[in-house]
Amino acid sequence: RIKASGLKLRFCTNETQSTRGKFVEKLQRLGFNISVNEVTAPAPAACRILKERNLRPHLLVHDDLVPEFDQLDKANPNCVVIGDAADNFSYKNLNEAFRVLIGLENPILISLGRGCYYKETDGLKLDVGVYMKALEYACDVQAEVVGKPAKMFFQSALAEMEVEPQQAIMIGDDIVNDVGGAQQCGMRALQVRTGKYRSV
Amino acid sequence: RIKASGLKLRFCTNETQSTRGKFVEKLQRLGFNISVNEVTAPAPAACRILKERNLRPHLLVHDDLVPEFDQLDKANPNCVVIGDAADNFSYKNLNEAFRVLIGLENPILISLGRGCYYKETDGLKLDVGVYMKALEYACDVQAEVVGKPAKMFFQSALAEMEVEPQQAIMIGDDIVNDVGGAQQCGMRALQVRTGKYRSV
């Protein structure tokens, strides 16, 4: 209906366990008419930042997310990018990311989110934010967070649509990541009472 | 020589990858005349605290350290104890510790140290403090740290020897963990220029 009205539309997701392609397939199966270009997600946003700043990432992400970084030079890394790597968060892999970071003269840590945990059918799972904190403490650095509720993330979606913040409205179920983040960068926001919403 | 002089002696170690027994064997091979009763280490110190407070730990520690907790009831845990678990710091194990902690009405996290990393022959390795920070962030709790430089740790060694702080001197190579920690609880301290000492 939003599409039919002629309004510009972007799906903003913090999904970092798979590519936008997979994400779009899932939404299409649920009946949404949506294409990859209409999705703003942390990984492609990070890619833009990495290119702009000539950064070559060491990746600690989910296997299914790796293709989003295909176009980037990853030899001789000068930063670390972490996403929700799930089982890839082994002691071995975290040590490797740590060694790259601690070995840099100017350590840069980019995190595809700051979430603590999420729920899956088999229980609660630790999210990327927890491992971001671990590396921040180990290397005495502050991570740059890409994804909701970061201002930069919403601004990048607005820029793609060529729309000013005050012309846009964010619709989401998360009071902090969706509503709070959008308001912080001058957008209006609407909280829906579906998804993770719980009345207090 | 200290022994021959009749002075009381305690070896204070932050070792949490193995039992005091193994630690003593290693020192004996190096020519030290030392017994298990002369060693103050985080795991037995934690055991005393757990018993005093009727705590039943969920353990996230190195396999070799588990025997130190043999005497404790571990069914239906009401706290989490983490040590330098090394390869046991898998995503699966960290999730399990997290779920125990987040499920407690009054979450108690006891950490056998706050170190960031240490050096092994094959490179730098992340230490327990990093994973402590991760769980602190995930559950919004503050860990209780057992081990150097915690005051409680030195006090427990002093109590075992029945000695007042001002009667004791701490000798160590670490300016923060050994010298700083001892001074904080009223002891004098001597820094040796061996081990990890580096002149600036």
Side-chain angles (χ1 to χ4, degrees):
Chain A
R1 278 215 300 215
I2 294 176
K3 283 197 172 188
S5 74
L7 290 170
K8 289 181 186 175
L9 181 66
R10 269 288 180 295
F11 292 85
C12 295
T13 175
N14 267 3
E15 176 63 57
T16 68
Q17 277 207 0
S18 71
T19 58
R20 278 172 301 172
K22 298 265 179 195
F23 176 75
V24 162
E25 276 172 33
K26 196 171 136 190
L27 282 182
Q28 283 172 344
R29 278 198 305 275
L30 293 170
F32 287 86
N33 173 17
I34 173 181
S35 72
V36 168
N37 296 330
E38 292 170 305
V39 176
T40 301
C47 278
R48 264 196 309 278
I49 294 168
L50 293 166
K51 274 183 205 158
E52 277 169 24
R53 291 161 60 183
N54 286 316
L55 293 173
R56 299 176 303 277
H58 171 91
L59 298 177
L60 177 51
V61 300
H62 199 282
D63 288 343
D64 294 342
L65 192 70
V66 174
E68 292 277 19
F69 297 89
D70 269 353
Q71 307 297 318
L72 291 170
D73 180 10
K74 287 177 284 288
N76 190 19
N78 56 6
C79 75
V80 168
V81 172
I82 56 166
D84 175 18
D87 286 325
N88 278 348
F89 281 132
S90 63
Y91 186 59
K92 184 172 162 289
N93 288 345
L94 207 66
N95 269 325
E96 276 176 20
F98 159 67
R99 284 179 204 153
V100 169
L101 209 52
I102 199 91
L104 296 172
E105 203 180 329
N106 173 29
I108 296 173
L109 174 61
I110 294 176
S111 182
L112 305 179
R114 59 163 73 255
C116 283
Y117 56 89
Y118 52 89
K119 198 172 177 173
E120 284 197 341
T121 44
D122 57 339
L124 297 176
K125 300 280 177 84
L126 289 167
D127 200 357
V128 58
V130 169
Y131 289 89
M132 172 191 87
K133 280 288 161 188
L135 288 176
E136 283 186 343
Y137 180 68
C139 300
D140 197 18
V141 295
Q142 180 103 40
E144 301 174 35
V145 180
V146 183
K148 298 181 282 182
K151 232 177 176 172
M152 192 164 58
F153 189 66
F154 290 101
Q155 283 163 346
S156 131
L158 292 169
E160 284 169 17
M161 295 189 286
E162 298 179 327
V163 158
E164 294 299 316
Q166 61 274 19
Q167 295 177 290
I169 182 160
M170 171 74 196
I171 304 173
D173 63 356
D174 190 304
I175 190 76
V176 173
N177 288 323
D178 298 332
V179 175
Q183 288 175 340
Q184 287 260 318
C185 81
M187 295 165 69
R188 277 170 300 171
L190 187 76
Q191 187 183 22
V192 291
R193 299 187 175 188
T194 55
K196 72 171 75 161
Y197 178 83
R198 295 286 174 275
S199 61
V200 202
Chain B
R1 277 215 298 213
I2 293 177
K3 284 197 171 191
S5 75
L7 290 170
K8 289 181 185 175
L9 181 66
R10 270 288 181 292
F11 293 85
C12 295
T13 174
N14 268 2
E15 176 64 55
T16 69
Q17 277 207 0
S18 71
T19 58
R20 279 171 300 171
K22 298 266 179 196
F23 176 75
V24 163
E25 277 172 32
K26 196 171 135 190
L27 282 181
Q28 283 172 344
R29 278 198 306 273
L30 293 169
F32 287 88
N33 173 15
I34 172 180
S35 70
V36 167
N37 297 329
E38 291 170 307
V39 176
T40 301
C47 279
R48 264 197 308 279
I49 294 168
L50 294 168
K51 273 183 207 160
E52 277 168 26
R53 290 162 58 182
N54 287 317
L55 293 173
R56 300 177 303 275
H58 171 93
L59 299 176
L60 177 50
V61 301
H62 199 283
D63 289 342
D64 294 344
L65 192 70
V66 174
E68 292 277 21
F69 297 89
D70 269 353
Q71 307 298 318
L72 291 170
D73 179 12
K74 287 179 282 292
N76 189 18
N78 56 7
C79 75
V80 168
V81 172
I82 56 167
D84 175 17
D87 287 324
N88 277 349
F89 280 133
S90 63
Y91 185 59
K92 184 173 163 290
N93 289 346
L94 207 65
N95 268 326
E96 276 176 20
F98 160 66
R99 284 179 205 155
V100 169
L101 209 52
I102 199 91
L104 296 172
E105 205 182 330
N106 173 29
I108 297 172
L109 173 62
I110 294 177
S111 182
L112 305 179
R114 58 165 73 256
C116 283
Y117 56 90
Y118 53 88
K119 197 175 178 171
E120 285 199 342
T121 43
D122 57 340
L124 298 176
K125 301 279 178 85
L126 289 167
D127 200 356
V128 58
V130 169
Y131 288 89
M132 173 192 85
K133 280 287 163 192
L135 288 177
E136 283 186 342
Y137 180 68
C139 302
D140 197 18
V141 295
Q142 180 103 41
E144 300 174 37
V145 181
V146 183
K148 297 182 281 184
K151 232 176 177 174
M152 192 165 57
F153 189 66
F154 290 100
Q155 282 163 346
S156 131
L158 292 169
E160 283 168 18
M161 295 189 287
E162 298 179 326
V163 157
E164 294 298 315
Q166 61 276 16
Q167 294 178 290
I169 183 161
M170 170 75 195
I171 304 172
D173 63 357
D174 190 306
I175 190 74
V176 173
N177 287 323
D178 298 333
V179 176
Q183 288 175 341
Q184 286 260 318
C185 79
M187 296 166 68
R188 278 169 298 171
L190 188 74
Q191 187 182 24
V192 291
R193 299 188 176 188
T194 53
K196 73 171 75 162
Y197 179 83
R198 297 284 174 275
S199 60
V200 204

